[in-house]
Amino acid sequence: MMGTVAEFRARFKPSNGTAFSRFSRGFNTHTRLPPLKANGGVTAGTKAGWKIDLRGVWMFLQYLLSLLAGNPPPRPTPPAKPRLVLLPDNSFDAKCLDGSPPGYYFRPGTGAGKSMWHIYLPGGAWCTSASQCVVRSKSALGSSTFYPDDPTNKTLSPPFNGILSSNSSINPPFHNWNLVRLIYCDGAGYSGTAGRLEVNAATVLYLDGWNIIQAVIADLKANRGIKSAAQILLSGSSAGGQAVISLCDRIAAALPWAPTKCIADSGFFIDSKDRAGGYSWRNAAKSLVALHKPSWPACMDALPETDRWECFFPQYTLQGVTTPIFLFHTFFDITASQIGGLLPWNSTYAYSCLAEVLRTATDVTGIIRRKEWSSIVWKSNYCTAGERDALFGAASVLYDELESIIGSVDTVAAFVPTGVAHTVLFLNTWTNAWIRGMSVESEIVRWLANEMSDRFVHM
């Protein structure tokens, strides 16, 4: 592990400790590489502002000589394709909603990544009633029968992009790690324990989310070599990001032989008032808890049964997290805004309203922090007053909760740009997310190496 983390550090910080980054391009800053020290090579000066690294010249000459001698350096091994692993006879009797076997896609690591493991929990919302789960059981969100043995980027959502990619230019930190991508087919963020549910004489559902997690971990231990891991990363997006936050400590405890860290992308769903003055999210969380009986014991055991819905929301659960966790969430996440009742389910309208919010408020984070959004002069009529208040109210809760959590829980870090996107880290453009000259990639790398200086990065 340490060798790989050292490689991470070297990409963002030179050997003499001067802070510079390859991400400085585009910010009107000029960074000159530092001179090499006597024990690290020889630097020769030419014109002012230019340096020649003789060590690099010598390495290039060695490469040319090897070609002339007929001994070209070995080419890197191409990454293996992910393949589907189904678990029909697992010891936990875990099943997808429709009774089909749970499973995951596995792509083995290569090179320095052979001892590094990345476990990813895809999202896809939740089902909070039996009727919703029946509909869901007939889709890829409730059945493993929809998953191909040999997936391509066109058959899965999200595809193997962003921090799941095996392309080193798209995914520099994790491209060569062992990748485990679970099938999300339980409808409760991998946490249900209710088991078999007879909906009617012809329909049976299986609410087995936590058993699915246990079955996958057991198979990774028995058949994939995860017990030799030097580092384990658990990540998730949307509902999978919420699951990462809720299950981070519990999954880390099930993998005790290696350091585990967690990344949640767009999973910080907020318990706040909606545009009608109600609590859409809270009501959905109560229904989910009643139906699926999720396994969040560290949180639930501390609450009376009537309040256990709180364990769905990161603002309540993160106070007790002991495993390092990195949060990515935009202040005005459009999907979270629509699911939470802050905006109607009309994408054109929602984007227009959010564009107005961002265009008319030049100091968005300051306004959120000071709670002064009622004083903004709006330039169009895309948003109603109730929607604007709901959007800024939720962003204010997000800011306040993160500031409080990060101030009191040293295992939590967050990267929160002022934007509207949902699930950014699983796009091939994820490295383009910057705040004040810092990229999300560089901050994740620093966080992995325990070198992140500011644990709450925002505008």
Side-chain angles (χ1 to χ4, degrees):
M1 178 188 71
M2 296 308 296
T4 303
V5 171
E7 291 173 7
F8 286 164
R9 287 199 297 264
R11 291 179 55 244
F12 299 99
K13 188 171 68 176
S15 58
N16 70 347
T18 304
F20 77 95
S21 168
R22 69 183 179 90
F23 297 98
S24 61
R25 297 191 299 273
F27 278 80
N28 296 321
T29 59
H30 174 71
T31 303
R32 183 183 302 166
L33 295 178
L36 294 172
K37 300 297 183 181
N39 62 355
V42 180
T43 303
T46 56
K47 295 181 180 180
W50 291 84
K51 304 250 182 218
I52 297 175
D53 182 357
L54 296 184
R55 179 180 57 179
V57 174
W58 171 240
M59 292 174 65
F60 180 66
L61 289 174
Q62 286 182 311
Y63 172 77
L64 290 179
L65 289 172
S66 69
L67 292 178
L68 292 173
N71 298 310
R75 294 184 178 182
T77 304
K81 288 184 178 180
R83 66 181 185 87
L84 180 63
V85 178
L86 293 178
L87 306 172
D89 301 315
N90 64 85
S91 60
F92 295 91
D93 198 28
K95 296 179 176 64
C96 295
L97 282 172
D98 70 333
S100 60
Y104 60 92
Y105 285 98
F106 178 65
R107 186 179 69 215
T110 60
K114 286 184 177 180
S115 63
M116 315 297 278
W117 286 75
H118 183 183
I119 301 173
Y120 169 61
L121 307 183
W126 308 263
C127 55
T128 58
S129 68
S131 59
Q132 287 180 4
C133 291
V134 170
V135 173
R136 190 181 179 100
S137 71
K138 300 173 183 179
S139 73
L141 291 172
S143 174
S144 63
T145 61
F146 290 86
Y147 289 83
D149 290 335
D150 182 15
T152 69
N153 280 358
K154 295 181 180 179
T155 57
L156 289 180
S157 179
F160 288 90
N161 287 344
I163 68 171
L164 304 181
S165 175
S166 60
N167 187 323
S168 61
S169 62
I170 293 172
N171 182 24
F174 312 117
H175 68 278
N176 59 350
W177 288 31
N178 295 279
L179 177 64
V180 178
R181 177 202 172 106
L182 271 70
I183 291 175
Y184 180 31
C185 62
D186 70 281
Y190 311 89
S191 60
T193 63
R196 190 175 189 273
L197 174 66
E198 289 191 19
V199 180
N200 54 50
T203 307
V204 175
L205 294 173
Y206 297 87
L207 310 179
D208 283 342
W210 178 243
N211 277 346
I212 290 174
I213 290 285
Q214 294 186 94
V216 169
I217 291 176
D219 191 71
L220 295 177
K221 291 164 64 176
N223 300 311
R224 308 294 160 220
I226 198 172
K227 294 188 76 171
S228 299
Q231 173 77 61
I232 298 171
L233 177 68
L234 175 69
S235 76
S237 55
S238 193
Q242 183 274 336
V244 165
I245 295 169
S246 298
L247 300 174
C248 181
D249 278 348
R250 200 161 188 211
I251 292 177
L255 305 167
W257 53 85
T260 298
K261 292 190 173 186
C262 301
I263 296 178
D265 178 10
S266 306
F268 201 101
F269 297 101
I270 294 293
D271 177 32
S272 65
K273 287 186 178 181
D274 57 32
R275 71 186 189 280
Y279 286 89
S280 302
W281 268 122
R282 183 180 299 183
N283 294 333
K286 289 179 178 180
S287 298
L288 184 145
V289 169
L291 177 66
H292 290 271
K293 297 179 174 56
S295 179
W296 303 320
C299 175
M300 286 185 158
D301 290 350
L303 294 171
E305 188 171 353
T306 54
D307 294 339
R308 289 179 177 175
W309 57 268
E310 292 183 11
C311 299
F312 175 87
F313 294 103
Q315 68 207 79
Y316 305 130
T317 60
L318 278 171
Q319 294 286 354
V321 171
T322 59
T323 304
I325 185 164
F326 184 101
L327 309 173
F328 181 98
H329 202 96
T330 57
F331 269 122
F332 299 102
D333 182 317
I334 185 169
T335 301
S337 297
Q338 292 175 312
I339 296 176
L342 307 179
L343 290 172
W345 282 100
N346 180 318
S347 295
T348 301
Y349 179 93
Y351 273 115
S352 299
C353 176
L354 288 166
E356 178 190 4
V357 168
L358 296 176
R359 183 176 61 250
T360 58
T362 55
D363 180 22
V364 171
T365 306
I367 291 168
I368 291 168
R369 182 170 58 250
R370 298 189 300 270
K371 300 179 177 62
E372 295 176 352
W373 52 91
S374 60
S375 65
I376 299 173
V377 177
W378 304 98
K379 297 181 179 179
S380 71
N381 296 316
Y382 281 116
C383 308
T384 67
E387 288 160 357
R388 293 191 294 254
D389 287 349
L391 284 167
F392 273 106
S396 177
V397 172
L398 175 64
Y399 181 92
D400 289 346
E401 295 295 341
L402 285 174
E403 186 177 50
S404 173
I405 291 166
I406 292 171
S408 60
V409 184
D410 60 9
T411 55
V412 180
F415 192 95
V416 188
T418 302
V420 304
H422 187 69
T423 62
V424 170
L425 303 186
F426 302 90
L427 303 175
N428 281 343
T429 54
W430 74 284
T431 56
N432 293 339
W434 295 24
I435 299 176
R436 293 184 280 110
M438 293 175 282
S439 77
V440 66
E441 182 199 347
S442 67
E443 293 309 295
I444 287 176
V445 166
R446 292 187 180 106
W447 168 74
L448 280 171
N450 301 315
E451 294 180 354
M452 191 175 181
S453 57
D454 181 0
R455 290 188 295 111
F456 188 14
V457 182
H458 59 84
M459 293 299 293

